[in-house]
Amino acid sequence: MSDVTAPETDRGWESVDDVSWTLLDLDELVDAYWAVVAPVMETDGLDPNREKPTHSWLRDHGFRPLLYALREYHDRTFAEFWREDLEIDTVESGYDWATDHERTIEALESFLTSRRERKGLADSSIDTLRYRLNRYVTAYYEENDTGDLVTPVARDGDIPAYKAVDACWTAFDRLHADIDGGQTKRRIHLAVSNWYAHLVRRKWAAVNPADGLDDEFDWSNGNDDDTDTPCLATEHVRALYKAADGQEDRLLVLALCAWGLRPNEVASLRARQFVLDVSTDEIPYITFEERKNGPGEVSLLYGKEVLEDRLAMFSDCEDWDGYLFPSPHASRGPISRWTVWNRFTQLAERAGLPDEIGGVSPSPKMGRRFWYDAYSSSLDVVLESLDEIAAEQGSASADVVMQNYLSDSRARKLRREYMRDQLAAAFEES
């Protein structure tokens, strides 16, 4: 473990009140850490070159805005910031929970272990579940000023059940105010309720304070399903692609809008999923072993050149693990779906997209809806082109001609041709 020399800075930061944490980039956050946080640690007898302050210490000393800025503006936990940006060696391992209470962490990990081993959840599902639980733990800490979520519900405790319920509901009041999507709130509630139910079954808890909480809120109106998500217009996609100032951002826009992928599918894309070496009459495609509706394939109708440039960029990297969007952190693996959301949001701001589209803030799922809308329009154009044939043949409609007289391959080829025209219009290429 090596000592770290704090950088010199002349920004005039002397206390936490002098720092506008959310306005700083990562390099500036590093400077602010050494200028403001490190001296307070030394006053408390901690070695800032070797010791990582806990979440509770940071909150108790007024550094909560630092945690917020890292989480909301830089998609980082404090542990990642401490390890990757401050470059302080550590022997720590494990997930960076928003609490330092050992019994609570043990209870959370026990639940995740049970889901993995007894229900057979995949690692990606465990990661999602952990994230949802941690959102609750964060809100609970913020509202109740404690990271101990176990004692209030303990079987042998003397805290009245109504107080445990009040603490839980207060945390969800915060989540309800902070999160827009109704489905996201429902999923967090389901994860939390299942966790508490696990503790009750394990005899760790006497009560599930989240039970019935969904009846207290109206979480049914969120625009979370693809069918309810508003659609990006062609000019929106064009603006996003113009605002993408690098290969990675351009690929992200293509994956969402030209390939119609979900945010989590974009985040975890790997080179081995792409089948590009096909015959002249075939279309390159993306394979998915696991998808929302089972295994499947997605035709790669557009953006092949950008994809090939991306693959070529990694071709000489010996330690590349195949992810098109690798995590910038040393933990390797891909970026998270939340990083896709954050990058899309930043692109939307740079592109000057409206604050609301169809009454909803721009989101990656609107790119998927654009793809569906373009595909539906292409099908309509194909049917319109067959109307004349239908009239000549005396058929009832173009649908009949398509179903009975056009081969599947010919109908598919026509749809793809019009689809490419739609995508070319959006990405400003002929």
Side-chain angles (χ1 to χ4, degrees):
M1 183 178 294
S2 60
D3 289 348
V4 177
T5 302
E8 296 183 2
T9 176
D10 57 357
R11 297 178 185 275
W13 293 323
E14 296 181 359
S15 70
V16 64
D17 294 331
D18 296 328
V19 185
S20 299
W21 301 95
T22 58
L23 300 180
L24 304 183
D25 61 27
L26 280 171
D27 289 339
E28 291 170 328
L29 285 174
V30 170
D31 290 345
Y33 181 89
W34 291 117
V36 180
V37 181
V40 179
M41 292 180 64
E42 291 175 341
T43 301
D44 265 20
L46 300 174
D47 182 356
N49 292 313
R50 295 179 180 272
E51 297 180 74
K52 180 169 75 71
T54 64
H55 278 77
S56 59
W57 185 92
L58 290 166
R59 290 185 175 101
D60 291 345
H61 290 78
F63 297 113
R64 184 176 296 176
L66 168 61
L67 299 175
Y68 176 82
L70 289 170
R71 182 179 69 248
E72 298 298 327
Y73 289 84
H74 302 286
D75 192 30
R76 265 170 167 70
T77 65
F78 179 75
E80 291 169 337
F81 171 73
W82 192 74
R83 185 172 57 248
E84 307 300 334
D85 301 295
L86 298 178
E87 297 182 346
I88 300 175
D89 293 336
T90 176
V91 296
E92 272 199 339
S93 61
Y95 184 71
D96 186 35
W97 289 103
T99 175
D100 303 306
H101 188 255
E102 293 183 1
R103 184 64 167 166
T104 298
I105 294 175
E106 182 185 359
L108 291 162
E109 293 292 351
S110 169
F111 172 65
L112 295 173
T113 299
S114 177
R115 291 279 151 157
R116 179 187 294 108
E117 295 180 354
R118 296 188 175 94
K119 285 191 174 291
L121 291 188
D123 288 344
S124 59
S125 298
I126 294 295
D127 290 342
T128 300
L129 193 56
R130 183 183 287 111
Y131 174 83
R132 291 170 184 165
L133 289 171
N134 207 29
R135 289 293 298 268
Y136 171 69
V137 173
T138 301
Y140 192 101
Y141 201 128
E142 296 286 346
E143 290 298 317
N144 299 294
D145 201 28
T146 178
D148 180 1
L149 281 66
V150 175
T151 299
V153 297
R155 287 170 57 85
D156 55 355
D158 55 4
I159 298 177
Y162 75 88
K163 287 190 175 181
V165 171
D166 286 347
C168 173
W169 288 25
T170 299
F172 271 98
D173 283 334
R174 186 182 187 93
L175 290 169
H176 181 63
D178 289 348
I179 299 173
D180 292 330
Q183 183 166 306
T184 299
K185 299 171 189 177
R186 290 195 299 271
R187 287 172 172 171
I188 292 176
H189 171 256
L190 179 62
V192 171
S193 184
N194 285 339
W195 174 58
Y196 278 122
H198 169 80
L199 298 185
V200 171
R201 290 191 295 271
R202 288 286 308 273
K203 310 304 180 187
W204 285 24
V207 62
N208 180 349
D211 188 25
L213 184 60
D214 50 341
D215 292 330
E216 297 292 321
F217 292 97
D218 181 12
W219 291 335
S220 61
N221 296 323
N223 291 298
D224 299 284
D225 297 329
D226 287 336
T227 54
D228 296 328
T229 302
C231 175
L232 291 178
T234 297
E235 58 267 26
H236 297 150
V237 177
R238 185 180 300 125
L240 284 170
Y241 202 60
K242 274 188 175 182
D245 55 7
Q247 181 192 79
E248 190 169 4
D249 280 348
R250 288 195 295 272
L251 190 65
L252 187 141
V253 177
L254 285 166
L256 292 169
C257 303
W259 306 342
L261 303 185
R262 300 177 178 90
N264 63 308
E265 294 172 341
V266 174
S268 59
L269 278 174
R270 304 191 80 166
R272 67 189 184 195
Q273 291 178 252
F274 292 88
V275 180
L276 304 179
D277 187 14
V278 296
S279 65
T280 305
D281 296 332
E282 294 181 325
I283 299 294
Y285 58 93
I286 314 169
T287 63
F288 292 89
E289 295 180 1
E290 294 183 10
R291 219 175 181 213
K292 186 174 181 179
N293 298 318
E297 297 178 357
V298 173
S299 296
L300 192 64
L301 297 176
Y302 199 86
K304 182 182 176 184
E305 294 78 9
V306 176
L307 169 64
E308 289 176 334
D309 288 344
R310 184 69 171 169
L311 295 174
M313 189 189 77
F314 288 113
S315 61
D316 295 329
C317 298
E318 295 182 358
D319 60 346
W320 182 46
D321 51 12
Y323 289 108
L324 268 65
F325 299 98
S327 170
H329 311 318
S331 57
R332 296 168 61 86
I335 61 175
S336 69
R337 59 175 298 193
W338 313 113
T339 301
V340 173
W341 278 75
N342 289 338
R343 292 183 182 178
F344 180 90
T345 300
Q346 293 167 6
L347 271 174
E349 291 176 356
R350 295 207 304 267
L353 263 59
D355 292 338
E356 291 188 351
I357 298 174
V360 180
S361 299
S363 71
K365 290 191 290 185
M366 292 183 181
R368 180 171 167 80
R369 284 299 302 162
F370 166 80
W371 185 92
Y372 270 110
D373 187 69
Y375 186 84
S376 298
S377 298
S378 299
L379 183 58
D380 290 340
V381 171
V382 172
L383 290 175
E384 289 173 6
S385 69
L386 296 177
D387 282 338
E388 184 176 346
I389 298 176
E392 291 290 340
Q393 296 292 326
S395 299
S397 69
D399 293 286
V400 175
V401 174
M402 176 170 274
Q403 294 172 13
N404 297 333
Y405 296 98
L406 279 182
S407 67
D408 290 341
S409 61
R410 176 60 178 162
R412 186 163 52 249
K413 182 178 180 180
L414 288 172
R415 290 197 302 269
R416 286 172 174 170
E417 287 175 357
Y418 285 109
M419 183 68 172
R420 282 198 189 94
D421 289 342
Q422 295 280 323
L423 295 175
F427 290 93
E428 288 194 325
E429 293 181 13
S430 60

